[in-house]
Amino acid sequence: MKVLLVNGSAKAKGNTNAALEEVARQLEQEGIGAEIFQLGGSSIRDCIGCGQCTEKGCVFADDSVNEFLARAKGADGFVFGTPVYYAHPSGRILSFLDRAFYSGSRVFAYKPAASVVVARRGGCSASFDVLNKYFGIAQMPVAGSTYWNMVHGRVPGEAALDEEGMQTMRNLSRNLAWMMKCFALGAEHGIPLPATERENITNFIR
């Protein structure tokens, strides 16, 4: 089993990455593989609602969205991390998730997920709420922890000093690993995935 963790910060070795690395370390101790997918500082297009998604994902292939979707097919769980900008996730990760979930939502269905947010001080709860919205619409069970999944730190290295934040990351990892193992055991015993209805889509303006 494997978890794919997404670093939504432009800084590959900042505090968001430090929080995700703590999650990854604990996952590996729980016998779960972990890979951090770095968005980095390169440009990421917004979703423009063109409706031209393909079996490979988004029609625009000049950034990392389709590469991520290809890797996501082999993942059993996900963690999405973001720094907090003005009490909100980074625009980078929102553009990325809009396109990834719109063009490849069925890649995520029934796979547990969690979000991790990192801030100097405020805005964590609002950012945490925004990222969790993606999971609810994609049929993804959400893993929690012993506090909201947040870590505090301003300059790189400070996240490691947030002892409760790092504890929260480790407990999140344990809970996520437990969920994944339970789902795998259910599959081994023949428990089918829930049936999904998709026929009714109501458009209020006709």
Side-chain angles (χ1 to χ4, degrees):
M1 288 184 284
K2 177 181 176 181
V3 171
L4 192 55
L5 303 95
V6 176
N7 181 2
S9 172
K11 299 174 182 175
K13 296 298 180 182
N15 287 316
T16 303
N17 188 69
L20 293 176
E21 284 185 338
E22 190 73 4
V23 175
R25 276 192 293 271
Q26 186 63 46
L27 283 169
E28 289 171 352
Q29 290 185 26
E30 300 293 323
I32 305 292
E35 175 190 356
I36 296 179
F37 187 90
Q38 301 282 356
L39 295 192
S42 58
S43 298
I44 296 177
R45 290 175 178 263
D46 291 334
C47 180
I48 60 172
C50 67
Q52 300 299 309
C53 307
T54 73
E55 67 280 356
K56 294 182 180 180
C58 182
V59 69
F60 297 112
D62 55 354
D63 55 29
S64 58
V65 170
N66 290 345
E67 178 190 352
F68 168 76
L69 288 174
R71 296 191 195 186
K73 291 177 182 178
D76 304 289
F78 300 90
V79 178
F80 299 95
T82 183
V84 174
Y85 297 158
Y86 294 94
H88 207 256
S90 72
R92 174 178 310 282
I93 197 168
L94 293 183
S95 294
F96 178 85
L97 292 178
D98 281 351
R99 287 175 49 224
F101 274 77
Y102 190 75
S103 63
S105 62
R106 298 192 188 190
V107 169
F108 305 109
Y110 308 114
K111 297 178 181 180
S115 56
V116 167
V117 296
V118 180
R120 181 190 70 84
R121 188 171 178 89
C124 285
S125 295
S127 300
F128 182 67
D129 179 64
V130 170
L131 292 190
N132 284 348
K133 295 279 190 356
Y134 289 91
F135 312 148
I137 201 170
Q139 297 179 290
M140 301 175 79
V142 181
S145 186
T146 45
Y147 197 75
W148 293 287
N149 304 333
M150 58 183 69
V151 178
H152 290 87
R154 184 178 68 87
V155 298
E158 287 187 348
L161 303 177
D162 181 0
E163 294 182 5
E164 185 178 3
M166 289 301 184
Q167 173 182 270
T168 301
M169 297 300 101
R170 293 190 295 273
N171 287 331
L172 167 62
S173 299
R174 295 181 183 109
N175 291 343
L176 182 59
W178 175 80
M179 290 175 69
M180 292 169 63
K181 292 172 183 177
C182 287
F183 293 165
L185 190 60
E188 288 176 15
H189 285 77
I191 299 175
L193 294 174
T196 300
E197 297 182 30
R198 298 187 184 275
E199 292 76 20
N200 294 311
I201 300 177
T202 303
N203 298 307
F204 292 98
I205 299 175
R206 302 184 183 280

